[in-house]
Amino acid sequence: MEAAATTCYRHPSYETYVRCTRCERTICPECMHGASVGHHCPECVKEGRRSVRRARTVFGGAVSGAVAPVVTYVLMALNVLAYAVEVVRPETVDRFAVLGAALTGPDGAQYYYRGEEYAGYRLTGIADGEWYRLVTGTFLHLPPDTSFGVMHLLFNMFALWNIGRAVEGRLGRARYLGLYLLSAVGGSVAVYLLAPDTSTVGASGAVFGLAASYWVISRRLGHDMAAVNRFMAGFLLWMVLSALFTSWQGHLGGLLTGALVAYGLAYAPAKLRTGPLQLAGGAVLLGLFAVAVAVRTSALTG
């Protein structure tokens, strides 16, 4: 004898003989979700998804398919845009470069600051509360009318393009952006601590931080370190050679910061590799930077 037809619990006008294998509710083809055995209804599918823990990478991010390195593209675009602003308005460099302390005279020119102020001259730089320079200077580059000029931008963007894509793909967008910005600020803080009377610009600190993180990540993932070590040796050699015309302090600060952040992401105990705790770790590091800047400012201004 043929069983009496029933209706779908979500679409009463649809007659069906199929039931959800979990809850036994009748479902129509529109509500069917294939399972290993039979079909599941939409509610059972939602409940199953909530009960499954999402896989995580060794760095704490969610496992996902291949995605475009959007953050790397955006960072490159911001650097290029900032350079275009420099070309149109050259005074942008003096206004936003990483500068610890200088005296700005009545003529608008900047002079060395040696702990004393004079009538008509005002203190300029991070020591005068312009903390934004720690970030803005990392998106500027040497003006086109200088000896290194546009090559400064091209070298950094080439390195960011090559290293950034690899690091972003392994860390995920949020952690990668945090690593980049912390490395950039770390390089600026090193400049302020070691060479406060020097005006510096460039994404080199952040790039060196990415290079250090690439080494740490490769080691953590068990990659062939011979090629990675050669790559890192080339970066360290460049840091030494470039000291003749760029800020080695910024390079060193970014390198150490990037290595520290990547080590924390890669080697912290599993229970600490969660988004909130990693965010808290980044906040602690920023706090340490702030303390270092405050102590250096006090020493400079007396």
Side-chain angles (χ1 to χ4, degrees):
M1 181 176 180
E2 186 177 350
T6 55
T7 60
C8 174
Y9 80 101
R10 296 178 73 226
H11 304 98
S13 62
Y14 200 110
E15 291 187 352
T16 178
Y17 296 93
V18 180
R19 294 179 179 273
C20 172
T21 54
R22 293 187 67 180
C23 68
E24 304 248 330
R25 283 181 286 202
T26 51
I27 49 179
C28 66
E30 185 178 338
C31 299
M32 295 177 190
H33 292 265
S36 57
V37 177
H39 298 83
H40 289 169
C41 67
E43 277 68 23
C44 287
V45 170
K46 291 179 183 178
E47 182 63 30
R49 287 173 179 169
R50 282 195 295 267
S51 64
V52 175
R53 290 187 61 185
R54 192 172 183 184
R56 296 278 170 180
T57 68
V58 295
F59 309 108
V63 174
S64 60
V67 295
V70 174
V71 177
T72 297
Y73 295 152
V74 171
L75 291 172
M76 292 178 66
L78 290 175
N79 279 276
V80 173
L81 178 61
Y83 198 76
V85 173
E86 288 181 46
V87 174
V88 176
R89 301 181 67 87
E91 65 272 17
T92 301
V93 175
D94 288 338
R95 184 69 184 85
F96 294 100
V98 179
L99 175 64
L103 292 176
T104 300
D107 56 355
Q110 292 180 344
Y111 301 88
Y112 286 113
Y113 172 73
R114 291 294 180 263
E116 297 180 359
E117 298 185 43
Y118 306 92
Y121 292 78
R122 60 181 178 83
L123 181 61
T124 301
I126 300 170
D128 191 44
E130 298 175 347
W131 284 39
Y132 58 85
R133 290 177 178 266
L134 294 168
V135 177
T136 57
T138 65
F139 287 93
L140 302 174
H141 288 82
L142 293 175
D145 58 350
T146 59
S147 56
F148 200 33
V150 70
M151 296 304 296
H152 187 211
L153 174 69
L154 294 178
F155 278 147
N156 278 340
M157 293 304 98
F158 178 74
L160 176 57
W161 167 253
N162 281 283
I163 307 172
R165 290 179 299 163
V167 176
E168 182 176 354
R170 288 163 175 78
L171 293 185
R173 291 170 179 168
R175 288 165 178 77
Y176 168 71
L177 179 60
L179 171 70
Y180 182 95
L181 294 178
L182 286 171
S183 298
V185 173
S188 298
V189 170
V191 171
Y192 185 48
L193 296 179
L194 302 174
D197 55 358
T198 302
S199 177
T200 63
V201 292
S204 302
V207 169
F208 269 80
L210 294 182
S213 70
Y214 178 68
W215 187 90
V216 174
I217 290 170
S218 298
R219 186 177 181 85
R220 178 65 178 85
L221 295 178
H223 292 171
D224 178 13
M225 294 303 294
V228 178
N229 287 336
R230 288 194 296 271
F231 161 81
M232 203 63 205
F235 250 84
L236 295 176
L237 178 61
W238 169 245
M239 183 172 71
V240 174
L241 296 177
S242 64
L244 298 174
F245 50 89
T246 61
S247 172
W248 65 267
Q249 298 92 345
H251 294 176
L252 180 61
L255 183 81
L256 295 177
T257 302
L260 176 64
V261 173
Y263 189 87
L265 292 173
Y267 290 98
K271 62 182 179 180
L272 300 181
R273 291 199 296 271
T274 63
L277 289 177
Q278 290 173 340
L279 184 62
V284 170
L285 184 56
L286 282 177
L288 294 176
F289 286 157
V291 170
V293 169
V295 171
R296 188 63 170 123
T297 298
S298 177
L300 287 171
T301 59

